[in-house]
Structures are given as C-alpha cells and as structure tokens.
Amino acid sequence: MLDGFEILTTSGVVLWSRNYAPLSSGLMNGFLKDVFIEEKVLPGATAADDTAAAQNPSYKKEKYTLRWASVKDLGLVFVAVYQSLLHLSWVDKLLDNIRVLFVDLYGDQVKKPHSSVVECDFDGYFDQQVRELEGSTEKAPQRPPQIVHGDPDSSADTNTNLEVPPPPMPGLLSGQKTATSATTSTDATPTSTPDTSRPTTPSDGHLLSAKPGRGSGVSRRARKAASSTQPSSGGDGKSKDKSTNAKSKKMRRWDADGMADEDDKVPLDYSATSDIDSRPVSSSGVEPIDATASGTRTGKGQYILKDLDSEVHSILQHANEKKSQPAPSKSGVVGSGIGAISGLFRSVIGGKVLTKEDLEKPMKGMEEHLLNKNVAREAAVRLCEGVERELIGTKTGSFESINTTIRTSMESSLRKILTPTTSLDILHSITSITNHPSHRRPYTISIVGVNGVGKSTSLSKLAFFLLQNNFRIIIAACDTFRSGAVEQLRVHARNLKELSEREQLGYIELYEKGYGKDAAHIAKDAVTYAKQNQFDVVLIDTAGRRHNDARLMSSLEKFAQLAQPDKILMVGEALVGTDSVAQARAFNQAFGVKRGIDGFLISKCDTVGEMVGVLVSMVHATGVPVVFLGVGQLYGDLRTLNVGWVVGLLMG
C-alpha cells in the first residue's frame, strides 16, 4: 500500500498530492536535495532526462522507499512513497501511467510561464489507476534497483541543513510574493511615514475616549442622555441630521404572505430582457470545449458519452502508440489484489466448505464497510445477502481463490441492483419521436431534485451533450421561485448558443416568463411553442424543494399532468449520504400513481472519492437506473455509469 504520492516541480512546488499516511516534510526535502540539488545519483542514472520509473534509482531514507519519474521539458517530478518492508512491483507502472495522464490532461497549464498553481481534478484518474494496478502480480523484467541513501549525518528535519530557500507555497501568487518580500526586508532603516498619516501628538479633536463597559456603573439611559446633551461641532449639526434622515433609503414593507406592500411601486421582477442580454453574442466570451474529451462519435454521427475508465485507457493507449509500442491490455477496474473487504475473510480460509456460521462474522464486517461508503443500511444488507448466497457451499482454497469469489459475488449483486430494466439510450428515444412521419413532436425531459444539488448546471451539461448530436433544444425556465434562477439559465443558454454557433452544431433557445408565474403552465406553453417552431428537445428546469415538504411536493403531480414529460430525471447529490433513500422515494411517489422518475443524474461525483454508496442506495430504493454522472464543473463533464467502476470503489 502506498503511503503517499506527489506531483511537484523541480523547484519544490507541489502541484498535486495524495497522502494515505502522515509523512514528514523532511522526507521530500531530503529527496529533492540529494537527487536534484546535489545530484547524489549513481553513474548512469539520468535524473534530468525524461525517464521511466524503472530506469531511475530508488531513494531510501529512514523507513521509506521513494520511486520517481520525471519530465524534463516541463520540469515535473512524480514521486511515490511506500515503506521499505513492502515489495510493490506495480509502483513503476503507476508512475509511468500517472506521468502520461497528467501531462496529457494538464500539460498546457504547466507550460504557462510562472505557473505555480494547476487547476486540476486528478483524484478520479489516480484512484482508477491505483485500483487497477494495486493487485497486479506480474513482474516485468527490471534491472536491479539502485539505491541512493540519504545523508547519514542529516537530522530528521532537513530544513535546517538545506542552504537553499524553501520552495514557495503552491497557492502564492506572484503579486503576493512581491508584497511578502517587501515586508520582510532586512533593511534596518525604517520606511518613511507618508504625509497622510496621523500626527504623533493627537490634538483635542483626535483624542478618543473609551466607551463605558458593563462594569462602569453607568446605565444605558444615562449614557443616552449624556450623548444627546453633547454640544455639536457646528451650528448646523441639527440641520445636517435632518437632511441625512431625509435622504436615507426607505425600507420596503412586506406583508404576512411574503408579498411587497402595494404602496411600493418598485418592480421586483428583474428577469425582463435588457439591452445587455439582447446584445449580439460575443465570439470570445466562452472558452472552447473539446468535445472529444468527454465522448466519441459513432459511424452514424451520434455523440456517445465516455465513462471514466474508457477515458483513462484511451489516454494511455494514445501515449503508447506515440512510443510505437503495443497498446496495453484493457483489464477491468477491479484488479486481483487484496481489497479491504477481502481482508475480512482471512479467518475462513482452510480448504473447507463454507457454511452460514463461518460467514456470520465476516458479513457483519462487510456490512459495516459498506455503511462507511455511504451505502444505506437496507441496500448494504441486500448486497451482503447476495454475496452470502454465492459463498455458502463454496470450498475454500488459497486466499486468492476466496478473494476472487468475493469480488465476483459482489459484482454480481451490484449488477442486479444497478442494471436498468428499461432502455437508457436517450438518443434513440429522441430520434424515434422527432423523426416520426405522422406524429412528430418534441421530446420533453424534466429535471427535478432538492435544493442545491446542481439541477441547472446538470441541465446545461445535458444540453451540451444533445447539442453535439445536432438537436434543436429549448430550455424552459420553470423555476419561478428562486431569485436568480432565470438569469442563471440565461447565462447558460447564451454560452451554449455561442459554443453551438462556433462549432455549427444544433441550436438552443431559452423560454422564460419571469417570476411569480405557475411553473406547470409555463412548461405546457414551452412544449407548445417548441412544437410550433420545430424544436427537437425541451429541457424543463424546476424549482428545488425539500422532499419532506408535502405542500411543495404536491405541485409535482399537477406539473406532470400538464407538461407530460417523456423523461423525468432526478438530480441526486453524491454528498448527501444515506438520506438519499428518503429523497428518491419521495420524488418517485410525488408524480402520481402511474408516473414516477425515469432516471437519476448523480452530481458532484468528483468530490466524494470512494464514497459512492449513494448510487447504490438510490437505485435500490426505487429500482430507477442511474443515467448520467456529473464529474466536474464544465459543460463536457458528464459521463455514463460503469458498474465495474462502482465495484472497484466499494471493494477498496
């Protein structure tokens, strides 16, 4: 198991890191000093060139071994740290793959001059490679590792022995560095005081008296009377106070129902189109998005989204093709190594036929492990029961055989939960309706969910995906409650329109009627407008609502009856935890007896790491499949679900 992994520059600026155990700063400082500053490497080692990890000597200090790879042109160093007692044969392969992935994804940012901060979301790529390579037992022929030992005379803290200044902080900008150096100047002469500073001896008008505190013995009424009797500085003090009060802002009055008083003639609806919003679209307002990074096109021209595994493998395969080497075999996400759950079954190995009594204790530990992954208890119990049924009656052999059995059983149980019962091919569903010869109509998709899960952002990602397939899209702004909801969609529509015109793909338009209107009637009017103007898809944005608020949830049934959406997608947040079961069931039952949600779009999956239990919990609670995953903040950060990816995270 790794103790840490860091991506840093040769000057010591850390661009990305992952620590599994606390590591002292002296460890990395000693590595940089011995290998790159003093160049204490054996003859034949090329520390300054682009070298694979297997060609670089190991660096050992204290109880740790450091393996590393470098990129000369960018000045990058990739370092893996693990305990010397362990023999991790896959570390060199991990370093090489991470080097290729990081340079391919963020090389352009690193090439910028004076770049000390790289905006990257590299956790998912790193975790995928660790899961895939961690259990690999294949040992490629390598030359005997060369060892560079740290300076034996150095102490544990190498910061005092370094004669070079410490590396700058990654988040420190160039302007901040200048200010810091100016304030920490070693010049003994103090800086001159500017002319606008206060005088050394304050005059009578500048003297400040402390206000009497609680223990002063003066009552509040006495202090108020004293302040009112103080003489003013001028004769017109009273007139100034009156003029100030006359010019003060008039407070808006609200009634018991939350509406403004009728006397206030100031409009509260700022969603009307202004001259700024009606101006022509600028050609430089939105950065271009590489559509090939999030999907591929088929022979028929359809744009298909990628999942995370296919994206990683495509990058590695492209890098290997550049080296004129055969492409690596695409093994599954789940390796053959020993996972956390597999370690619970050490006590049941011994060449015997497993019984329910043998599996009772390991299954309790397995259930607890799944609960720690944000899986709801009832979903965790269902998974454990499925694995238990697969293991009872199985004869145990070596540890690897029981490990394989556990993984196979877990994947089988997960597939039974996550495998959809209906088609998830939205592109086929859209074309079958829009291309109908006699009953052509627009395909309607509604987005629902609780407050703050990212409905509007997820809707814009879905719109970008549909634009790549040359559909004519209209966005219906039906969130008439939240302040700024219409303006937010207007910005998204303007950006997507610019991108579509730039790439000549599809067309997008926003349908809005401001605030305070009935959302169900706006959705119905938007569908009618889309049918009259030959639009292909209607994306309906709705207001966020708490799942335990019966008054707000009751309006969804009317919404479904008037808008009649073909697909209702609920946006679930990957951070929500076990409350996802109650949310999913409440929304699935809110649309009436014969109507429910048709799929989940799980947002913020890039923020939870291995805590992906929400996916399993929501599908288990409703039987509704996961259609899309949100993995970032860009329009192209939308992926499809890979069951093997979920299995690997839950088994980790």
Side-chain angles (χ1 to χ4, degrees):
M1 184 64 184
L2 287 177
D3 286 71
F5 195 100
E6 291 194 7
I7 303 176
L8 64 160
T9 64
T10 53
S11 60
V13 179
V14 179
L15 302 179
W16 182 88
S17 65
R18 169 65 66 84
N19 290 329
Y20 299 96
L23 299 174
S24 64
S25 60
L27 182 66
M28 197 60 61
N29 291 337
F31 167 75
L32 293 175
K33 173 186 175 183
D34 295 339
V35 177
F36 292 98
I37 298 178
E38 299 183 2
E39 297 184 354
K40 293 182 180 180
V41 295
L42 298 179
T46 54
D49 297 331
D50 294 347
T51 56
Q55 300 176 1
N56 292 327
S58 298
Y59 178 84
K60 290 192 175 183
K61 188 177 182 65
E62 299 173 356
K63 62 178 181 178
Y64 297 103
T65 297
L66 281 70
R67 300 289 299 165
W68 55 281
S70 61
V71 179
K72 179 182 178 182
D73 295 337
L74 302 179
L76 298 179
V77 184
F78 302 80
V79 186
V81 184
Y82 60 94
Q83 296 187 13
S84 301
L85 296 177
L86 302 178
H87 178 66
L88 304 181
S89 59
W90 46 270
V91 171
D92 292 343
K93 183 65 175 177
L94 175 67
L95 285 166
D96 295 336
N97 289 353
I98 294 300
R99 180 181 64 170
V100 172
L101 290 172
F102 192 85
V103 172
D104 185 87
L105 294 171
Y106 311 109
D108 295 337
Q109 297 187 40
V110 179
K111 290 179 182 178
K112 294 180 181 179
H114 309 293
S115 61
S116 59
V117 178
V118 176
E119 297 179 358
C120 63
D121 183 16
F122 198 62
D123 294 349
Y125 301 95
F126 180 80
D127 294 337
Q128 190 271 345
Q129 280 297 300
V130 171
R131 289 193 304 271
E132 184 171 331
L133 299 176
E134 187 176 15
S136 178
T137 56
E138 298 179 0
K139 297 182 180 180
Q142 303 176 1
R143 71 178 186 179
Q146 301 175 355
I147 301 175
V148 178
H149 294 281
D151 189 0
D153 297 332
S154 62
S155 60
D157 187 6
T158 58
N159 291 333
T160 58
N161 297 332
L162 295 179
E163 297 180 358
V164 294
M169 296 179 63
L172 199 60
L173 301 179
S174 57
Q176 295 172 331
K177 295 178 183 178
T178 306
T180 304
S181 61
T183 56
T184 57
S185 175
T186 56
D187 192 0
T189 303
T191 58
S192 59
T193 305
D195 297 336
T196 58
S197 62
R198 67 179 64 179
T200 305
T201 303
S203 60
D204 296 338
H206 291 85
L207 291 177
L208 302 178
S209 60
K211 295 182 179 181
R214 295 178 179 270
S216 59
V218 183
S219 64
R220 182 182 301 176
R221 181 175 300 177
R223 291 197 302 269
K224 185 176 180 180
S227 61
S228 61
T229 57
Q230 288 181 355
S232 60
S233 58
D236 57 345
K238 187 176 299 184
S239 61
K240 286 184 179 180
D241 293 340
K242 291 183 178 180
S243 61
T244 304
N245 295 333
K247 295 181 180 179
S248 62
K249 181 179 178 181
K250 183 179 179 181
M251 302 296 293
R252 180 176 287 126
R253 290 174 293 178
W254 302 87
D255 57 14
D257 297 330
M259 303 298 292
D261 194 0
E262 295 180 357
D263 295 338
D264 296 330
K265 304 231 175 138
V266 181
L268 300 181
D269 189 357
Y270 299 99
S271 63
T273 305
S274 61
D275 297 337
I276 298 177
D277 297 319
S278 60
R279 68 182 184 273
V281 178
S282 174
S283 59
S284 60
V286 183
E287 295 183 0
I289 297 178
D290 186 10
T292 59
S294 58
T296 56
R297 294 196 178 275
T298 62
K300 297 181 180 180
Q302 286 186 338
Y303 183 77
I304 307 298
L305 292 175
K306 294 181 180 179
D307 54 38
L308 186 60
D309 294 333
S310 61
E311 182 180 1
V312 171
H313 285 295
S314 63
I315 294 175
L316 295 178
Q317 183 178 3
H318 180 67
N320 288 331
E321 289 175 354
K322 286 185 177 181
K323 298 178 182 179
S324 300
Q325 295 180 357
S329 60
K330 295 185 178 182
S331 58
V333 179
V334 184
S336 59
I338 301 174
I341 293 181
S342 304
L344 300 171
F345 292 82
R346 295 178 183 271
S347 60
V348 298
I349 301 172
K352 59 176 294 188
V353 178
L354 296 177
T355 61
K356 189 172 183 178
E357 290 75 15
D358 296 328
L359 298 175
E360 182 177 359
K361 183 177 180 180
M363 283 302 167
K364 289 183 179 179
M366 183 177 182
E367 180 181 339
E368 189 68 25
H369 177 84
L370 294 176
L371 292 177
N372 293 332
K373 297 285 186 178
N374 269 353
V375 180
R377 181 170 295 277
E378 54 183 297
V381 171
R382 180 178 173 183
L383 279 172
C384 293
E385 290 176 351
V387 174
E388 186 178 7
R389 284 193 298 268
E390 295 286 342
L391 293 180
I392 291 178
T394 303
K395 185 177 181 180
T396 62
S398 62
F399 182 74
E400 292 295 326
S401 64
I402 190 64
N403 183 39
T404 305
T405 304
I406 296 171
R407 290 183 177 273
T408 304
S409 303
M410 171 65 77
E411 186 170 0
S412 176
S413 299
L414 275 174
R415 287 188 183 276
K416 291 178 182 178
I417 295 178
L418 296 176
T419 300
T421 57
T422 58
S423 175
L424 298 182
D425 193 352
I426 291 184
L427 299 180
H428 176 72
S429 302
I430 295 174
T431 54
S432 63
I433 292 179
T434 56
N435 296 335
H436 198 280
S438 58
H439 301 285
R440 187 189 187 280
R441 63 175 179 84
Y443 191 86
T444 307
I445 301 176
S446 178
I447 305 295
V448 298
V450 299
N451 309 75
V453 295
K455 294 183 297 298
S456 301
T457 305
S458 300
L459 182 143
S460 63
K461 294 178 183 178
L462 183 58
F464 178 77
F465 164 61
L466 296 176
L467 284 174
Q468 297 298 317
N469 289 278
N470 288 312
F471 289 121
R472 288 174 54 84
I473 305 169
I474 184 170
I475 299 177
C478 295
D479 186 355
T480 61
F481 179 77
R482 178 173 64 90
S483 301
V486 178
E487 289 80 3
Q488 180 184 7
L489 285 179
R490 189 182 299 156
V491 172
H492 283 309
R494 188 166 55 202
N495 293 342
L496 292 171
K497 184 177 182 180
E498 179 179 341
L499 291 173
S500 63
E501 291 178 353
R502 185 184 303 170
E503 301 178 7
Q504 297 181 355
L505 294 173
Y507 176 78
I508 191 168
E509 187 177 325
L510 178 65
Y511 186 88
E512 57 172 298
K513 286 191 175 180
Y515 297 99
K517 313 296 191 303
D518 184 53
H521 286 90
I522 294 179
K524 182 180 179 181
D525 295 342
V527 174
T528 304
Y529 176 83
K531 187 176 182 179
Q532 295 173 352
N533 293 272
Q534 301 297 315
F535 281 92
D536 299 319
V537 182
V538 181
L539 297 178
I540 304 176
D541 184 36
T542 60
R545 63 203 76 212
R546 298 190 305 273
H547 63 284
N548 55 359
D549 192 327
R551 183 179 63 86
L552 295 177
M553 295 294 291
S554 61
S555 62
L556 291 177
E557 185 174 359
K558 175 185 175 183
F559 173 82
Q561 292 175 357
L562 293 179
Q564 295 182 354
D566 297 285
K567 288 282 187 184
I568 300 178
L569 300 181
M570 176 184 172
V571 179
E573 191 179 35
L575 299 168
V576 70
T578 56
D579 192 43
S580 58
V581 173
Q583 294 181 7
R585 285 177 176 167
F587 274 91
N588 194 37
Q589 299 170 1
F591 294 95
V593 180
K594 299 181 179 180
R595 196 65 171 94
I597 56 179
D598 301 298
F600 292 109
L601 196 159
I602 308 299
S603 64
K604 308 177 186 179
C605 291
D606 55 320
T607 63
V608 295
E610 298 180 353
M611 312 290 286
V612 295
V614 173
L615 282 71
V616 181
S617 302
M618 300 183 79
V619 176
H620 169 265
T622 59
V624 177
V626 175
V627 184
F628 298 110
L629 301 176
V631 296
Q633 300 180 6
L634 301 178
Y635 290 129
D637 291 335
L638 195 67
R639 299 291 185 272
T640 56
L641 177 66
N642 187 317
V643 178
W645 173 72
V646 180
V647 175
L649 292 178
L650 291 178
M651 293 293 289

